[in-house]
Amino acid sequence: LLAEASIRLAREKSQAARRGVELSVEGQGDLSVRGDREGLLRALRNLAANAIQWSPDGSTVSVRLVGSEDRIDITVDDAGPGVPVDLR
């Protein structure tokens, strides 16, 4: 998943650079996926694009993939304002 995510996030990386935002993608563990690859990558791209859109210039958006025995945790961390409590 890490190699595929890095390739698929190239457009978002360019978008981030134009806005002065750094997009980092890192992973560890077993990141093999069995399932709807396109759906998962589309969701990852949407999360990254949203994080970039709401992050202030000069900040970093971090996409972290951590694989364990039976799951992969995906974290997209940014410096944006977050979702208001009443809309979560």
Side-chain angles (χ1 to χ4, degrees), residues 27-78:
Q28 67 183 46
D30 181 6
L31 298 173
S32 303
V33 175
R34 201 178 324 175
D36 184 356
R37 181 180 77 171
E38 292 305 315
L40 177 60
L41 290 166
R42 185 173 34 254
L44 186 58
R45 287 183 66 199
N46 286 343
L47 289 169
N50 185 62
I52 293 163
Q53 177 182 351
W54 289 98
S55 291
D57 293 351
S59 64
T60 299
V61 172
S62 173
V63 176
R64 202 169 29 252
L65 312 166
V66 179
S68 61
E69 190 173 310
D70 62 345
R71 65 191 258 175
I72 297 175
D73 291 320
I74 299 173
T75 304
V76 178
D77 191 27
D78 64 71

